[in-house]
């Protein structure tokens, strides 16, 4: 969504200016995190005003022809420049990650709200004035490195905290539970969900026989299946996903007191998802959609933010829970242990280069720091081996020396050698204890160094699984019961889509029978959709609660969101020559509210407005764009513009599709005819009135008559005055005579993300 309009250019100019300021501040290291300063010192180089050289530094005079014996003779092996270029090129690719191969990342910082020293001695949680540098990689799980972004899949949410006491990696997902309870099963899980071994199909999805064969035989995966069939696996933006540590970890304070802790990331913009048809279409139209959205928001200075939440459980209390805190298929409802939000993370810088930063980044749940320890969760335990093991294979023995993985604090140890070793350690003593090195590096004191929490270990060697890991359905039921009817409909739709792609009917039947243990009604409807036998109602079904909690509203995206901002929302404005002044008024108000207005038209180049006194250069043309790029759509007035729009099928299809995808739509003055032309079956405004019907805002007799910059300024000013449009939060009904009523209604509807009550009506729109 590179924004090529004048606004966009304006923004990039402002941005270039910001970058220039950043550059100066950078040179002076002002406002830079230690990590950025370190990267600038040890790795980042700028090729501007430089001479081309070989990798051994020899200035190169030509790169167009190899050295040959005669102009038409054979290439000479002595052409070291040829060999230098070709040999390195031949080895550019490293193995992709065995899972989570497709990902995007950004730099930023974390800041705690107040010291947590009573709970933990971990460095990021001590000093509220301290900005701890972070690097965050967001990924899908199943697809290969080049797969599409908006597939239905779990999202990885891996955060590397560069602290003064070493790197801490919180390597989580956007789903708080997992498929399996013990890591030993991970290779089977990944083989089942990945493309099938005989034909390497499908890419980037679980809708195939192997996956459903595996999970339908593995009741412990039922809770996770409910989560992945919910809208959480089709996110609208990486900026709008939760993050969860999944496992139970330990917080250990300076007195060595340990408490169990679960980690949560809550996006400031709220959790928002596509609807399935939108995600499918976007995967085809723009495989880089989520990567581009993250990149552009940061380039535009609209920095994504998450609050970090913790659920703390006294070790003595853990056994009172009706499920095992070491079982990663279980979630602790907020009703039982509230989430305390303790700090905020802001991502404010894109990588300078993808490969050395994002591709070579190694996240490892075993990268722990004093004050944070693991639990005996058997899923986590296995991960403590796998991540470094796979990094040695994928990146190399000395991966932690690579700039992106290197801690910002000093590293001193007796590790030596290994491929591509960077560090040169002076002195002869490369062992501990030593006297020839003055006993250095010396051991840290218990108060300074890492001390594993001496958790009691009870029992004999066994591969038996604890009985407390057994209940696979209560939480799956609690999750389903926490959904709104709209969300339940989406879960049924997702199971139906996925299992209708499973050719083995026995697997379909098995899944229906398994889900009968979660919700009878769901399994009966699914059986009907899949053409298999509907199961009998099973006994356990309706009763069980989780410690008295039958449903947790926090699990429902629709129930738990605040809908108080349109920050970072993309609004498509459909103009043709002759559009009226409502365009600038709306653009001003949207910009004031932190949204991104983007114009599109039939052709590129400046488009004159009705007064002919000002023009707008569209960001996109109708044929090179789609409504799936936008969160909301606007059709302005202007006789000539609307007459042309009514004849422009690509534009009409986009608007109808936006209606089908439950987006807020506004149309004013003559623009209302477009809504009527598309027979969207909604009530529209009479003369000099505003109407809102199924999230379609129409108005007649509106517009300041002021075009161009003046009109926009008026819109921004009005917006700021009425408070109906502020970056912080939208004041429903706020319209103290500032912003036009239709704009306020439009913005309130955009803030709702989707017009869920339109779902039934929209399903009748044929496009
Ligand atoms: Fe991973 N996981 N995983 N995983 N995982 C990897 O490490 C593994 C699990 C997660 O952006 C791999 O560097 C095992 C749960 C993320 O670079 C590998 C088990 C959760 C990422 C690996 C799990 C995750 C990975 C592959 C079962 C959520 C991407 C490439 C026990 C809490 C990190 C790599 C990045 C990556 C192993 C289960 C999250 C193979 C053995 C549960 C976010 O090491």
């Amino acid at each position: 969504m590179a924004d090529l309009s004048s606004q966009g250019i304006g923004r990039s100019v402002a941005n270039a200016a910001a970058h220039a300021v950043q550059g100066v501040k950078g040179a002076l290291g002002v406002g830079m995190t230690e990590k950025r300063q370190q990267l600038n010192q040890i790795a980042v180089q700028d090729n501007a005003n430089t001479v081309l050289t070989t990798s051994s530094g020899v200035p190169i005079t030509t790169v167009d022809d190899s050295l040959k014996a005669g102009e038409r003779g054979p290439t000479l092996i002595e052409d070291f420049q040829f060999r230098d270029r070709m040999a390195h090129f031949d080895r550019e690719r490293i193995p992709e990650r065995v899972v989570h191969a497709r990902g995007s990342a950004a730099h930023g910082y974390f800041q705690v709200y107040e010291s947590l020293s009573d709970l933990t001695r971990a460095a990021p949680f001590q000093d509220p004035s301290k900005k701890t540098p972070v690097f965050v990689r967001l990924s899908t799980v199943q697809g290969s490195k080049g797969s599409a972004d908006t597939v239905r899949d779990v999202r990885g949410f891996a955060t590397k905290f560069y602290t003064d006491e070493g790197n801490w990696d919180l390597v989580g997902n956007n789903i708080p539970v997992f498929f399996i309870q013990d890591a030993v099963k991970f290779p089977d899980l990944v083989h089942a969900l990945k493309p099938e071994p005989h034909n390497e199909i499908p890419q980037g999805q679980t809708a195939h026989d192997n996956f459903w064969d595996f999970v339908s035989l593995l009741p412990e995966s039922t809770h996770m299946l409910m989560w992945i069939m919910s809208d959480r696996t089709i996110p609208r933006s990486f900026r709008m996903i939760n993050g969860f540590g999944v496992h139970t970890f330990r917080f250990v304070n300076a007195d060595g007191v340990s408490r169990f802790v679960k980690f949560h990331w809550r996006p400031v913009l709220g959790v928002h998802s596509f609807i399935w048809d939108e995600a499918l279409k976007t995967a085809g139209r723009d495989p880089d959609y989520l990567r581009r959205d993250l990149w552009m928001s940061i380039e535009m200075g609209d920095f994504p933010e998450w609050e970090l939440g913790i659920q703390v459980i006294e070790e003595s209390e853990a056994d009172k829970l009706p499920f095992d805190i070491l079982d990663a298929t279980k979630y602790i409802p907020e009703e039982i242990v509230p989430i305390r939000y303790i700090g905020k993370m802001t991502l404010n810088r894109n990588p300078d280069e993808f490969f050395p930063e994002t591709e070579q980044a190694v996240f490892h749940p075993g990268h722990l720091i004093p004050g944070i320890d693991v639990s005996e969760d058997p899923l986590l335990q296995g991960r403590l081996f796998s991540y470094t093991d796979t990094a040695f294979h994928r990146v190399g023995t000395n991966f932690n020396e690579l700039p992106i993985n290197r801690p910002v604090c000093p590293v001193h140890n007796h590790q030596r050698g290994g491929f591509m070793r960077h560090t040169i350690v002076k002195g002869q003593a490369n062992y501990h204890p030593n006297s020839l090195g003055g006993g250095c590096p010396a051991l840290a004191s218990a108060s300074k160094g890492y001390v594993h929490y001496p958790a009691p270990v009870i029992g004999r060697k066994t591969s038996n699984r604890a009985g407390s890991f057994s209940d696979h359905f209560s939480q799956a039921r609690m999750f389903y019961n926490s959904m709104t009817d709209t969300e339940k409909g989406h879960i049924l739709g997702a199971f139906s889509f996925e299992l209708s792609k499973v050719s083995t009917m026995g697997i379909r039947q098995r899944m229906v029978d398994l889900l009968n243990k979660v919700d009878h009604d769901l399994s009966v409807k699914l059986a009907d959709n899949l053409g298999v036998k509907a199961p009998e109602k099973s006994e356990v079904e309706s009763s069980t609660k989780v410690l008295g909690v039958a449903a947790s509203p926090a699990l429902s995206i629709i129930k738990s969101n605040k809908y108080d901002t349109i920050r970072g929302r993309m609004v498509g404005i459909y103009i043709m020559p002759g559009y009226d002044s409502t365009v600038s008024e709306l653009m001003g108000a949207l910009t004031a509210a932190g949204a991104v207005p983007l114009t599109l038209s039939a052709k590129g180049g400046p488009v004159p407005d009705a007064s002919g006194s000002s023009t707008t250069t569209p960001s996109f043309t109708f044929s090179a764009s789609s409504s799936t790029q936008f969160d909301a759509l606007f059709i302005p007035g202007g006789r000539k513009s609307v007459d042309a729009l009514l004849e422009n099928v690509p534009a009409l299809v986009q608007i109808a599709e936006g209606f089908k995808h439950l987006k807020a739509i506004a149309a004013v003055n003559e623009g209302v005819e477009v809504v009527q032309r598309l027979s969207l079956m909604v009530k529209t405004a009479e003369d000099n009135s505003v109407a809102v019907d199924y999230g379609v805002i129409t108005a007649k007799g509106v517009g300041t008559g002021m075009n161009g910059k003046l009109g926009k300024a008026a819109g921004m000013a009005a917006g700021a005055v009425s408070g109906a449009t502020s970056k912080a939060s939208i004041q429903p009904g706020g319209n103290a005579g500032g912003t036009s009523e239709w704009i306020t209604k439009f913005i309130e509807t955009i803030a709702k993300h989707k017009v869920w009550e339109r779902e039934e009506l929209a399903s009748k729109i044929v496009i």
Side-chain angles (χ1 to χ4, degrees):
M1 244 176 313
D3 177 8
L4 307 168
S5 68
S6 57
Q7 310 88 348
I9 293 163
R11 251 191 298 278
S12 1
V13 169
N15 203 28
H19 269 311
V21 170
Q22 280 294 354
V24 172
K25 285 171 76 175
L28 302 168
V30 177
M32 270 199 188
T33 64
E34 299 107 298
K35 186 63 193 174
R36 182 152 191 211
Q37 288 168 15
Q38 179 201 57
L39 288 172
N40 285 347
Q41 273 145 27
I42 66 173
V44 177
Q45 82 171 36
D46 191 334
N47 279 345
N49 313 323
T50 62
V51 171
L52 193 64
T53 72
T54 64
S55 61
S56 56
V58 179
I60 291 176
T61 56
T62 173
V63 285
D64 301 334
D65 298 281
S66 48
L67 186 67
K68 303 183 289 298
E71 287 182 358
R72 299 177 62 252
T75 299
L76 298 174
I77 196 68
E78 67 188 78
D79 183 347
F80 64 86
Q81 297 172 54
F82 170 91
R83 282 185 284 116
D84 179 62
R85 288 166 63 82
M86 200 58 77
H88 192 282
F89 168 77
D90 295 343
R91 294 165 179 75
E92 282 189 4
R93 301 283 172 272
I94 65 172
E96 68 174 29
R97 291 168 173 83
V98 65
V99 280
H100 297 266
R102 168 79 185 180
S104 307
H107 292 271
Y109 61 88
F110 171 81
Q111 212 161 356
V112 75
Y113 292 144
E114 58 185 14
S115 170
L116 284 186
S117 58
D118 57 325
L119 293 176
T120 175
R121 52 180 286 207
F125 305 127
Q126 305 309 310
D127 172 3
S129 68
K130 168 86 178 149
K131 286 183 175 177
T132 300
V134 296
F135 186 64
V136 172
R137 183 172 180 274
L138 304 157
S139 54
T140 50
V141 176
Q142 200 260 18
S144 67
K145 189 165 171 292
S147 59
D149 275 345
T150 61
V151 295
R152 180 182 293 284
D153 196 355
V154 177
R155 292 314 185 273
F157 194 131
T159 306
K160 187 181 288 293
F161 294 78
Y162 302 98
T163 84
D164 302 341
E165 297 183 340
N167 289 351
W168 170 40
D169 295 352
L170 182 56
V171 193
N173 280 344
N174 74 324
I175 305 268
V177 294
F178 203 65
F179 297 92
I180 52 177
Q181 295 173 315
D182 189 314
V184 73
K185 205 125 210 66
F186 193 64
D188 293 314
L189 167 69
V190 173
H191 286 175
L193 63 82
K194 280 272 180 179
E196 306 209 347
H198 56 302
N199 56 12
E200 188 66 1
I201 296 175
Q203 183 57 231
Q205 54 177 295
T206 51
H208 59 107
D209 286 56
N210 283 15
F211 175 73
W212 290 100
D213 181 28
F214 177 75
V215 291
S216 63
L217 292 167
L218 207 72
E220 70 195 69
S221 68
T222 309
H223 188 197
M224 182 67 168
L225 295 179
M226 301 308 292
W227 281 83
I228 65 169
M229 290 299 113
S230 79
D231 294 339
R232 289 173 182 273
T233 46
I234 46 174
R236 150 70 182 83
S237 166
F238 278 141
R239 303 172 289 139
M240 302 170 186
I241 62 171
N242 283 117
F244 301 96
V246 177
H247 308 285
T248 300
F249 291 86
R250 282 187 163 91
F251 260 172
V252 183
N253 65 18
D255 306 328
V257 176
S258 164
R259 293 175 181 83
F260 287 134
V261 62
K262 290 249 187 191
F263 295 104
H264 300 248
W265 289 111
R266 178 174 67 183
V268 170
L269 293 178
V271 176
H272 299 292
S273 297
F274 278 132
I275 59 172
W276 181 230
D277 184 61
E278 204 181 1
L280 267 179
K281 288 191 170 123
T282 304
R285 291 169 179 166
D286 183 3
D288 303 308
Y289 185 94
L290 296 181
R291 177 175 285 178
R292 190 189 307 278
D293 173 88
L294 178 69
W295 179 271
M296 285 311 295
S297 68
I298 292 174
E299 287 304 294
M300 288 200 284
D302 183 11
F303 301 140
E305 296 173 308
W306 288 264
E307 287 193 289
L308 180 62
I310 53 172
Q311 286 177 296
V312 177
I313 309 101
E314 296 296 335
E315 301 227 4
S316 55
E317 294 298 307
D319 300 343
K320 298 192 186 103
L321 292 170
F323 51 85
D324 195 312
I325 204 162
L326 302 182
D327 176 353
T329 66
K330 302 295 188 301
Y331 174 80
I332 304 178
E334 297 184 29
E335 291 74 11
I336 298 175
V337 179
I339 299 176
R340 177 182 164 194
Y341 288 96
I342 57 162
K344 185 185 282 185
M345 175 168 72
T346 303
L347 299 183
N348 60 2
R349 191 168 69 83
N350 282 314
D352 288 313
E353 189 183 357
F354 186 91
F355 181 85
E357 296 181 73
T358 307
E359 195 55 23
Q360 291 192 141
V362 169
F363 295 88
H364 172 32
H367 281 160
L368 299 165
I369 54 175
I372 297 180
D373 204 335
V374 295
S375 72
E376 294 66 36
D377 168 344
L379 190 71
L380 175 56
Q381 293 285 321
R383 296 180 69 200
L384 301 176
F385 165 75
S386 173
Y387 288 71
T388 41
D389 184 55
T390 197
F392 291 142
H393 160 70
R394 184 175 71 88
V395 183
T397 310
N398 291 300
F399 67 81
N400 261 334
E401 287 198 313
L402 290 172
I404 193 63
N405 298 319
R406 190 178 295 197
V408 292
C409 57
V411 173
H412 295 288
N413 55 43
H414 291 309
Q415 290 179 3
R416 296 287 189 279
F419 284 113
M420 307 301 277
R421 174 76 172 164
H422 288 58
T423 308
I424 301 169
V425 181
K426 296 174 74 170
Q428 79 184 74
N430 59 354
Y431 49 89
H432 184 90
N434 69 68
S435 67
L436 300 178
C440 288
L443 292 177
S445 65
S447 63
K448 279 271 167 281
Y450 191 92
V451 178
H452 289 273
Y453 177 69
V457 177
I458 306 137
R460 296 177 171 285
K461 288 184 187 172
T462 174
S463 299
N464 292 346
R465 190 168 306 182
S468 53
F469 277 50
S470 57
D471 171 3
H472 302 314
F473 302 107
S474 303
Q475 294 218 350
R477 194 171 306 120
M478 179 187 72
F479 178 81
Y480 189 68
N481 292 342
S482 306
M483 301 293 111
T484 64
D485 290 347
T486 298
E487 289 167 324
K488 284 181 177 173
H490 294 173
I491 290 174
L492 173 62
F495 273 118
S496 304
F497 176 90
E498 296 259 331
L499 288 160
S500 63
K501 299 256 185 173
V502 170
S503 54
T504 314
M505 297 307 279
I507 296 172
R508 296 186 189 190
Q509 186 66 62
R510 223 172 30 231
M511 260 323 293
V512 164
D513 297 343
L514 185 68
L515 290 172
N516 188 38
K517 296 194 178 90
V518 175
D519 186 89
H520 181 61
D521 180 47
L522 169 66
S523 63
V524 169
K525 287 180 181 148
L526 185 57
D528 179 42
N529 290 351
L530 297 175
V532 298
K533 199 163 69 50
E536 296 307 313
K537 197 170 174 61
S538 68
E539 283 324 299
V540 295
E541 197 218 302
S542 59
S543 63
T544 59
K545 292 181 176 170
V546 177
L547 259 185
V549 179
S552 170
L555 302 179
S556 156
I557 291 177
I558 293 178
K559 288 182 203 160
S560 61
N561 267 323
K562 291 209 295 297
Y563 306 111
D564 61 356
T565 180
I566 61 167
R567 235 185 78 200
R569 295 305 190 144
M570 307 289 172
V571 180
I573 299 177
Y574 293 73
I575 59 170
M576 291 292 274
Y579 59 87
D580 68 10
S581 67
T582 58
V583 169
S584 352
E585 186 188 354
L586 178 68
M587 292 179 85
L590 290 173
T591 308
V596 182
L598 297 160
T599 53
L600 50 172
S601 191
K603 299 195 177 80
V607 180
D609 68 5
S611 69
S613 65
S614 83
T615 65
T616 295
T617 305
S619 315
F620 307 99
T621 59
F622 298 145
S623 53
S625 63
S626 65
S627 72
T628 46
Q629 291 171 241
F630 310 114
D631 296 290
L633 314 178
F634 173 54
I635 306 121
R639 182 69 274 154
K640 269 184 69 241
S641 173
V642 171
D643 289 347
L645 270 179
L646 288 169
E647 299 308 315
N648 189 294
V649 174
L652 295 176
V653 168
Q654 285 203 22
I655 296 163
E657 185 184 67
F659 181 85
K660 201 170 175 59
H661 291 160
L662 314 182
K663 295 178 181 186
I665 295 176
V668 299
N669 304 332
E670 297 84 352
V672 176
E673 295 166 28
V674 173
V675 172
Q676 293 154 345
R677 164 81 166 67
L678 290 169
S679 348
L680 299 179
M681 300 179 276
V682 294
K683 285 196 281 312
T684 54
E686 303 305 321
D687 285 355
N688 301 320
S689 74
V690 176
V692 182
D693 194 22
Y694 285 107
V696 177
I697 294 90
T698 51
K700 288 201 173 158
V702 296
T704 60
M706 292 187 278
N707 288 305
K709 291 193 171 45
L710 205 55
K712 203 181 325 162
M716 286 180 92
V721 171
S722 71
T725 58
S726 72
K727 274 207 173 51
S729 63
I730 301 292
Q731 331 298 338
N735 183 19
T739 303
S740 314
E741 184 194 355
W742 68 270
I743 291 181
T744 304
K745 291 275 180 263
F746 187 33
I747 288 177
E748 283 171 4
T749 310
I750 298 171
K752 294 203 179 76
H753 179 58
K754 292 290 183 196
V755 185
W756 296 118
E757 64 273 21
R758 188 201 291 164
E759 210 158 24
E760 181 64 29
L761 182 66
S763 64
K764 299 190 178 65
I765 300 291
V766 181
I767 56 164

